[in-house]
């Protein structure tokens, strides 16, 4: 293999595959990036055996072939490289020269034949989705992450499903950690035929990787085929293997209770209050108490190990006075991803989930379970 | 001044108190029959060379006439609690370090109870009259010397190392008696010509640190009578566990399950007494080939319920391959959270309380056990055991 490539063409993608290549797997070669020279392209592949990435970039190919190089070292070399033109040349068996005549590296690669094959993705029915919108959906859902040792599919993965609601066909992502649940809807074009069957569960880790590759403009194709979730751009494809498992029935949870009372608050102020109140939370004492009164929210933290704090915040509320304990982190994380200046909480009582939405947003919904005092 | 209390042959002494006919006789408390090890030997048995942690068959060779009893931990724990509460009347700074051992910071208590010798005598008198047991007490200006002092006269001793006597005691203190000095350290120190703690003073600090690492630093401080370790009352436990060596190796899941239930009750009772809930439950198994295995699971919500802990551990047990047979089984609870802390509720099992109402059963059982002693009431599945 011998080719010349321009630094700006591959630097960004090499940075983005570091997450995949950096994850421990039971195959040593996945710390490598597979490089293939074909036609007038350099094709880069990286995988953590659950999520695979492949991208093609322009290159001047002098001799076709394939090599596998440690992804981290290759990235560092390219990042620090002084000139735009970089040549990669396999001098002999897996002995690779990277240089421009002045700067010169020789790197031992691994056998490219050992690199795990990417699943074949042919005849996929892709749906075009706005790239920014998909990125936002991913940000809004993967933030709801369970503990590291929880291996249940509905905690480690996000449910993706297509359904028809009042406004028409929608693509929905649902994420939960067992104590809270977020749903994000994306409208599909009118007339889109919603496929039969249940949704699928896509690992949050893989979804975060997908998020890295999404641009701020244009659209991407998403599709599902033989247990894979596929995201396709013009020159890049990411394939995430689906998780096996059942997602719990959540439709009752997101239904707004008839008894619920709304509270409207200023998002920015609320977030700052919560940050202040969570200073006094510790591993043992995570909860803060929200006391809702007409026109006022009092938030207080009481930690026998540290002390206590209290703050009042003006809110739009005219229900009865009630006290509910919550983990403030859940609210803070939700507030960072909900859109708009104001948010609305829908409360029932101290034992029932609290429903949060942007005041004018129809697409995002978060349900947070209180803490029992 | 810091006091160190060490009960004399605690388990054996408690049994002799409970069974007057055993007083003055060789008594060994320890693992069942010939498989186990000696937990505690009465002073009568110690005269024959019987020591703690000695295999039972060896102990019985030394002292063939000894009476062997299985330990009754619940009873000892009750007695221990009684003793600790007596100590707490003398100082707010009491740190139990084991079931029969505690440090007491007497600083500030002297106005109330007089000098350490008088306070020590008062503690001993209270324990003798209220618990009917003897103990050995040591008093010294620093913690490690208090422990050494309590060992100087046993049983039923009271030794005070006055501040003026500290240099002399340190100079003559055999290095192997210093807490933290094990066989390896002993060897390195012997190579340096150190036989008494006082000898350490002659060595440069850098050399000690090179040979012994961090411990060298501490040893140099101890050698000049400095021990910054404070007495920490109620240093909260990070985990609670209970285990037993079986009378015979077993693969009987029902029998093992019953053992787990007993240990779940023991552990859960401890959690409730200490106002804690555990997030993680661990099944501990030692196989007949002494291979140790731990299997842990995380509860969806922290619990202090006997039933919940048991179910979690039994679930682990049922999924575990019992090959080779099980020699020891136990249950541990860790990742403890305070009971007064708010508990995050679960979205998908709304309404369920801690252990489905078993918490009330637990409370009632605790009350009855508190009033009439552990063991007077138990689960039906454990009824045929004794």
């Amino acid at each position: 293999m011998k080719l010349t490539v321009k630094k700006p063409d591959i630097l960004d993608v090499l940075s983005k595959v570091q997450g995949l290549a950096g994850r421990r797997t039971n195959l040593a070669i996945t710390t490598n990036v597979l490089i293939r020279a074909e036609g007038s392209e350099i094709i880069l592949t990286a995988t953590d055996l659950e999520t695979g990435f492949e991208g093609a970039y322009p290159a001047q190919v002098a001799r076709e072939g394939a090599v596998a190089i440690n992804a981290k070292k290759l990235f560092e070399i390219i990042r620090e490289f002084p000139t735009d033109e970089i040549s990669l040349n396999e001098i002999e068996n897996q002995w690779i020269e990277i240089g421009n005549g002045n700067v010169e590296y020789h790197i031992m690669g691994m056998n490219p034949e050992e690199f795990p094959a990417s699943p074949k993705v042919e005849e996929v029915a892709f749906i075009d989705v706005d790239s920014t919108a998909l990125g936002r959906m991913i940000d809004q859902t993967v933030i709801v992450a369970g503990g590291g040792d929880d291996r249940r599919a509905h905690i480690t993965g996000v449910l993706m499903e297509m359904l028809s609601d009042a406004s028409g066909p929608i693509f929905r992502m649902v994420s939960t950690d067992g104590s809270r649940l977020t749903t994000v809807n994306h409208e599909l074009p009118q007339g889109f035929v919603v496929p039969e069957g249940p949704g699928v569960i896509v690992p949050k880790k893989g979804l975060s990787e997908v998020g890295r590759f999404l641009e701020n403009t244009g659209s991407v194709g998403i599709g599902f085929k033989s247990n894979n979730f596929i995201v396709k751009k013009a020159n890049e494809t990411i394939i995430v293997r689906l998780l096996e498992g059942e997602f719990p029935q959540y439709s009752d949870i997101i239904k707004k209770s008839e008894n619920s009372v709304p509270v409207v608050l200023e998002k920015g102020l609320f977030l700052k209050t919560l940050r202040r109140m969570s200073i006094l939370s510790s591993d043992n004492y995570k909860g803060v108490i929200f006391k809702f009164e007409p026109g006022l929210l009092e938030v207080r933290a009481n930690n026998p190990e540290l002390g206590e704090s209290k703050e009042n915040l003006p809110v739009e509320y005219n229900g009865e006075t009630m006290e509910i304990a919550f983990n403030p982190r859940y609210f803070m994380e939700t507030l960072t991803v909900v859109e708009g200046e104001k948010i609305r909480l829908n409360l029932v009582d101290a034992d029932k989930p609290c429903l949060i939405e942007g005041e004018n947003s129809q697409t995002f919904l978060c349900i947070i379970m209180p803490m029992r005092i | 001044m810091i006091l160190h209390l060490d009960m004399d042959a605690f388990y054996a002494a408690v049994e002799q108190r409970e069974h007057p006919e055993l007083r003055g006789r060789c008594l060994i408390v320890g693992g069942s029959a010939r498989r186990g090890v000696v937990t505690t030997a009465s002073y009568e048995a110690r005269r024959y060379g019987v020591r703690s942690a000695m295999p039972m068959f060896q102990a019985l060779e030394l002292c063939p006439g000894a009476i062997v009893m299985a330990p009754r931990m619940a009873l000892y724990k009750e007695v221990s609690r009684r003793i600790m509460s007596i100590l707490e009347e003398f100082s707010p700074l009491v740190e139990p370090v084991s079931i029969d051992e505690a440090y007491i910071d007497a600083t500030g208590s002297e106005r109330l109870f007089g000098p350490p010798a008088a306070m020590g005598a008062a503690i001993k008198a209270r324990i003798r009259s209220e618990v009917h047991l003897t103990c050995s007490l040591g008093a010294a200006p620093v913690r490690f010397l208090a422990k050494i002092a309590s060992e100087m006269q046993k049983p039923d001793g009271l030794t005070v190392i006055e501040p003026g006597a500290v240099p002399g005691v340190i100079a003559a203190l055999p290095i192997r008696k210093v807490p933290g000095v094990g066989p390896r350290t002993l060897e390195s120190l012997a190579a340096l010509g150190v036989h008494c703690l006082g000898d350490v003073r002659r060595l440069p600090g850098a050399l000690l640190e090179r040979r012994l690492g961090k411990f060298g630093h501490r040893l140099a401080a101890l050698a000049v009578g400095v021990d910054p370790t404070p007495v920490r009352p109620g240093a909260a436990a990070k985990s609670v566990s209970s285990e037993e060596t079986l009378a015979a190796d077993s693969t009987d899941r029902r029998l093992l399950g019953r053992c787990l239930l007993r240990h779940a009750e023991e552990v859960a009772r401890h959690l409730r007494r200490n106002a804690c809930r555990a997030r993680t439950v661990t099944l501990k198994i030692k196989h007949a080939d002494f291979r140790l295995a731990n299997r842990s699971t995380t509860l969806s919500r922290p619990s202090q319920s006997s039933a919940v802990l048991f179910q979690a551990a039994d679930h682990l047990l049922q999924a575990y391959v019992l090959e080779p047979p099980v020699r020891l089984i136990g249950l541990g609870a860790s990742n403890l959270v305070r009971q007064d802390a708010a508990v995050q509720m679960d979205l998908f099992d709304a309404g369920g309380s801690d252990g489905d109402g078993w918490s009330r059963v637990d409370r009632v059982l605790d009350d009855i056990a508190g009033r009439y002693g552990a063991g007077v009431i138990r689960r039906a599945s454990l009824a045929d055991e004794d």
Side-chain angles (χ1 to χ4, degrees):
Chain A
M1 188 208 77
K2 185 173 179 186
L3 59 80
T4 310
V5 68
K6 291 225 163 52
K7 174 171 166 174
D9 285 338
I10 57 164
L11 180 61
D12 187 44
V13 64
L14 284 176
S15 150
K16 287 172 176 169
V17 299
Q18 294 305 310
L20 284 176
R23 200 153 295 140
R24 277 180 67 94
T25 71
N26 50 14
L27 274 186
I29 200 165
T30 62
T31 58
N32 284 225
V33 48
L34 176 70
I35 301 176
R36 286 178 305 169
E38 287 176 13
S40 59
E41 287 181 329
I42 174 172
I43 300 166
L44 302 178
T45 309
T47 181
D48 66 0
L49 301 180
E50 184 178 76
T51 303
F53 166 85
E54 188 167 298
Y57 310 89
Q60 286 173 280
V61 176
R63 188 171 68 246
E64 294 199 336
V67 293
I69 308 181
N70 181 285
K72 186 156 182 278
K73 291 300 151 200
L74 180 63
F75 168 58
E76 288 170 354
I77 291 169
I78 304 294
R79 184 184 58 196
E80 303 304 335
F81 213 78
T83 59
D84 264 9
E85 294 257 312
I86 304 167
S87 111
L88 274 77
N89 181 12
E90 185 184 19
I91 306 171
E92 52 187 298
N93 216 1
Q94 294 160 38
W95 184 242
I96 302 142
E97 182 180 271
I98 305 173
N100 63 0
N102 181 31
V103 180
E104 197 175 276
Y105 284 89
H106 287 98
I107 295 274
M108 193 63 203
M110 286 178 81
N111 182 1
E113 309 274 310
E114 285 172 16
F115 203 89
S118 318
K120 286 269 171 288
V121 286
E122 283 157 352
E123 294 171 32
V124 183
F126 283 107
I127 304 162
D128 265 349
V129 181
D130 179 63
S131 185
T132 321
L134 181 62
R136 193 185 315 128
M137 290 178 88
I138 291 174
D139 289 344
Q140 288 173 325
T141 46
V142 297
I143 199 166
V144 179
D149 50 355
D150 200 331
R151 311 287 341 139
R152 290 172 295 174
H154 71 273
I155 306 284
T156 58
V158 166
L159 175 74
M160 288 188 184
E161 57 182 359
M162 292 184 212
L163 56 150
S164 292
D165 77 353
S167 61
I170 54 172
F171 169 56
R172 175 182 282 171
M173 285 168 56
V174 189
S175 179
T176 182
D177 65 358
S179 307
R180 53 186 164 147
L181 180 139
T182 288
T183 68
V184 191
N185 293 341
H186 178 75
E187 279 183 28
L188 292 171
Q190 293 295 338
F192 179 86
V193 183
V194 171
E196 293 281 315
V200 297
I201 305 179
V202 185
K204 286 171 185 169
K205 262 190 204 159
L207 219 43
S208 304
E209 295 297 338
V210 169
R212 289 180 200 232
F213 289 94
L214 295 173
E215 318 280 347
N216 289 327
T217 55
S219 65
V220 294
I222 60 170
F224 302 92
K225 180 84 183 196
S226 21
N227 284 323
N228 291 298
F229 170 57
I230 303 140
V231 179
K232 196 167 168 48
K233 301 204 295 190
N235 63 329
E236 293 175 337
T237 309
I238 307 172
I239 303 176
V240 188
R241 200 172 65 232
L242 301 180
L243 294 172
E244 280 175 36
E246 289 223 354
F247 204 87
Q249 274 301 326
Y250 70 90
S251 50
D252 285 345
I253 295 173
I254 63 168
K255 215 175 276 168
K256 218 174 279 178
S257 161
E258 286 164 12
N259 311 326
S260 76
V261 263
V263 187
V264 176
L265 336 84
E266 211 61 63
K267 186 176 79 178
L269 291 179
F270 189 30
L271 187 58
K272 283 180 181 155
T273 298
L274 290 172
R275 287 216 183 100
R276 283 189 284 269
M277 292 304 107
S278 61
I279 290 171
L280 292 191
S281 80
S282 62
D283 275 354
N284 273 332
Y285 297 93
K286 291 196 179 84
V288 299
I289 293 171
F290 291 20
K291 183 179 177 192
F292 298 93
E293 299 173 38
L296 195 71
L297 166 61
E298 179 192 277
V299 186
R300 60 174 199 271
N302 187 341
N303 184 337
E305 292 167 351
L306 291 167
E308 50 194 40
S309 57
K310 194 184 81 169
E311 181 167 342
N312 290 330
L313 188 72
V315 295
E316 294 168 36
Y317 175 70
N318 41 33
E320 288 170 24
T321 298
M322 68 171 129
E323 284 199 345
I324 313 183
F326 285 108
N327 182 339
R329 185 169 65 85
Y330 293 170
F331 276 85
M332 293 192 295
E333 288 178 354
T334 304
L335 294 185
T336 56
V337 296
V338 66
E339 292 175 336
E341 298 295 309
K342 288 188 169 184
I343 58 152
R344 181 167 49 239
L345 315 181
N346 294 279
L347 306 163
V348 182
D349 62 37
D351 294 323
K352 300 285 186 324
C354 165
L355 198 147
I356 305 160
E357 53 193 344
E359 197 192 15
N360 300 312
S361 150
Q362 306 298 318
T363 57
F364 176 89
L365 202 61
C366 180
I367 286 90
I368 297 180
M369 212 47 197
M371 297 180 85
R372 185 176 289 124
I373 318 169
Chain B
M1 293 290 271
I2 291 171
L3 270 59
H4 179 255
L5 168 128
D6 192 3
M7 298 304 296
D8 299 324
F10 185 54
Y11 298 173
V14 173
E15 293 297 349
Q16 288 178 324
R17 182 191 81 174
E18 298 291 298
H19 302 277
E21 70 277 13
L22 296 179
R23 286 182 202 158
R25 299 188 57 180
C26 292
L27 172 66
I28 298 175
V29 178
S32 43
R34 301 181 65 84
R35 289 163 48 86
V37 294
V38 176
T39 311
T40 311
S42 71
Y43 278 91
E44 295 81 2
R46 290 184 193 196
R47 239 174 274 140
Y48 290 89
V50 179
R51 294 282 173 269
S52 297
M54 182 180 273
M56 191 61 80
F57 72 89
Q58 196 184 337
L60 290 175
E61 273 166 19
L62 292 169
C63 185
I67 295 153
V68 179
M69 294 186 80
R72 294 191 285 170
M73 292 311 296
L75 170 66
Y76 310 147
K77 281 182 190 171
E78 261 177 60
V79 177
S80 174
R81 262 199 305 286
R82 196 69 205 89
I83 294 165
M84 298 305 166
S85 69
I86 292 175
L87 297 182
E88 278 161 10
E89 290 178 35
F90 285 87
S91 165
L93 297 177
V94 174
E95 178 186 339
V97 283
S98 73
I99 192 167
D100 63 343
E101 220 184 302
Y103 288 97
I104 306 118
D105 191 334
T107 317
S109 303
E110 285 162 23
R111 280 162 156 259
L112 289 169
F113 302 104
M119 181 166 153
I123 291 174
K124 284 171 66 73
R126 284 282 304 275
I127 291 177
R128 194 180 304 113
S129 69
E130 290 178 29
V131 195
H132 310 286
L133 292 173
T134 65
C135 61
S136 296
L137 266 170
V142 289
R143 184 172 158 129
F144 88 102
L145 284 178
K147 184 173 168 71
I148 282 159
S150 74
E151 282 167 10
M152 285 179 171
Q153 296 177 59
K154 270 187 139 296
D156 205 9
L158 172 59
T159 310
V160 179
I161 301 176
E162 296 290 353
V166 168
V169 171
I170 286 177
L173 184 67
I175 194 76
R176 69 186 154 76
K177 292 227 167 189
V178 176
V181 176
R184 289 272 308 281
T185 314
L186 200 59
E187 221 170 87
S188 330
L189 287 170
L192 294 171
V194 172
H195 300 288
C196 294
L197 183 56
D199 300 341
V200 172
R201 270 183 266 181
R202 290 200 299 266
L203 301 175
L207 173 70
L208 276 170
E209 206 155 347
R210 205 163 53 241
R211 291 288 169 90
L212 304 173
K214 260 172 126 179
F215 185 68
H217 203 71
R218 174 167 164 79
L219 204 59
L222 296 184
V224 290
V226 173
D227 180 3
T229 322
V231 174
R232 286 172 301 249
K238 291 220 168 66
S239 66
V240 183
S241 67
S242 175
E243 60 185 50
E244 72 185 291
T245 302
L246 303 169
D249 297 341
S250 172
T251 55
D252 179 350
R253 287 181 197 273
R254 287 194 50 200
L255 175 113
L256 296 170
R258 279 206 301 276
C259 292
L260 278 184
L261 178 55
R262 226 171 22 242
H263 294 294
E265 292 202 319
E266 178 67 35
V267 168
R269 191 177 307 132
H270 190 94
L271 292 175
R272 293 192 293 267
R273 197 182 298 124
N274 290 289
C276 283
R277 292 194 174 93
R279 215 186 292 259
T280 304
V281 176
T282 303
L283 166 72
K284 177 180 175 183
I285 281 181
K286 193 192 273 177
H287 290 278
D289 59 1
F290 288 86
R291 184 167 55 87
L292 260 177
N294 283 304
R295 293 291 178 271
S296 293
T297 183
T298 303
L299 301 172
S300 63
R301 116 165 51 109
S303 177
Q304 52 176 208
S305 146
S306 309
V308 171
L309 298 194
F310 166 68
Q311 277 156 14
D314 193 49
H315 195 74
L316 292 169
L317 173 68
Q318 299 311 327
Y320 187 78
V321 180
L322 303 174
E323 176 60 44
V326 175
R327 177 186 174 84
L328 171 149
I329 188 163
L331 182 151
S334 55
N335 247 326
L336 307 186
V337 292
R338 306 286 312 158
Q339 164 182 303
D340 57 352
V343 179
Q344 179 63 50
M345 289 193 261
D346 208 287
L347 260 180
F348 302 111
D349 64 355
S353 66
D354 188 10
D356 302 325
W358 280 103
S359 59
R360 288 187 56 199
V361 175
D362 285 335
R363 247 193 329 270
V364 172
L365 289 179
D366 287 350
D367 283 350
I368 295 172
R371 195 167 309 168
Y372 303 105
V376 298
I377 181 161
R378 57 187 141 185
R379 278 161 210 274
S381 50
L382 299 176
D384 52 345
E385 301 188 4
D386 201 35

